[in-house]
Amino acid sequence: ISMPRVIIIADIHGFYPAWQAIAAILRPEDTLAVAGDFFDTRYGDQADNTYQPELIRDAFNHLSIPKYYVYGNCDEPAFCPGHDYGETFTFEGKKIFLTHGHFCSCPEEEAADIRIEGHTHKALIKRREKSILLNPGSIPLPRNGFRGYAVIENQKIRLVSLNP
């Protein structure tokens, strides 16, 4: 039997193949957390035929698993209404604060066990005083060579590479 886990992504920027890579690994017991710049409807690369924010939005909206999404600096809130720039949820007894990281300094993040952010396109897991900072990086546009996502499962956090 599979254990529940949180799959964490950021900075997909509307690239459908990156979304497909994540959709393929999602299981019914998973939770999905998206740390912004999911759709990139502000600056998106219309000339690239793999830029398909509408297809990603439709698939995301039809997911039957728990899901969290916060806007990034490249997302237009009107494209996928009903979300915010910061959101808190609990998983395995840990309080998780989700933000894109480009400006949000919200009071609820202070009490979080794990702060998830994107924006830099650089994957990292870093222990801070009483919490953990997690950035899953960016699948289509990595800036430190790591192309992948993050997973929280069995009280552990790990980065999972999609590099060939």
Side-chain angles (χ1 to χ4, degrees):
I1 208 162
S2 297
M3 296 293 296
R5 61 189 185 164
V6 180
I7 303 298
I8 302 134
I9 60 174
D11 298 291
I12 298 297
H13 286 276
F15 288 107
Y16 194 60
W19 165 250
Q20 288 176 302
I22 292 304
I25 59 135
L26 291 174
R27 304 187 305 223
E29 65 277 6
D30 287 341
T31 294
L32 177 65
V34 184
D37 284 355
F38 196 18
F39 306 113
D40 194 358
T41 46
R42 184 161 288 150
Y43 311 108
D45 187 354
Q46 310 284 338
D48 186 323
N49 65 355
T50 66
Y51 174 73
Q52 297 289 336
E54 295 85 4
L55 291 177
I56 296 171
R57 179 185 58 196
D58 292 348
F60 177 76
N61 285 338
H62 286 95
L63 286 176
S64 57
I65 62 173
K67 58 193 180 225
Y68 302 92
Y69 157 61
V70 294
Y71 302 124
N73 58 302
C74 297
D75 292 326
E76 291 284 353
F79 182 76
C80 192
H83 301 277
D84 206 340
Y85 289 93
E87 186 166 4
T88 301
F89 65 99
T90 302
F91 181 76
E92 294 182 337
K94 298 292 184 192
K95 188 173 180 183
I96 299 170
F97 179 70
L98 180 67
T99 185
H100 186 56
H102 64 297
F103 74 83
C104 190
S105 181
C106 307
E108 59 266 30
E109 81 174 88
E110 298 305 320
D113 299 300
I114 302 167
R115 176 187 167 100
I116 299 171
E117 59 184 47
H119 190 57
T120 65
H121 296 218
K122 294 178 182 178
L124 80 95
I125 301 172
K126 182 178 176 183
R127 179 163 286 287
R128 303 195 308 190
E129 288 179 20
K130 295 180 182 170
S131 66
I132 293 170
L133 173 63
L134 168 62
N135 188 321
S138 172
I139 294 169
L141 304 163
R143 291 192 181 135
N144 63 351
F146 178 84
R147 191 179 145 269
Y149 59 97
V151 177
I152 302 172
E153 182 179 30
N154 293 324
Q155 302 285 326
K156 292 184 174 75
I157 302 172
R158 62 190 165 94
L159 295 171
V160 178
S161 175
L162 291 175
N163 288 330

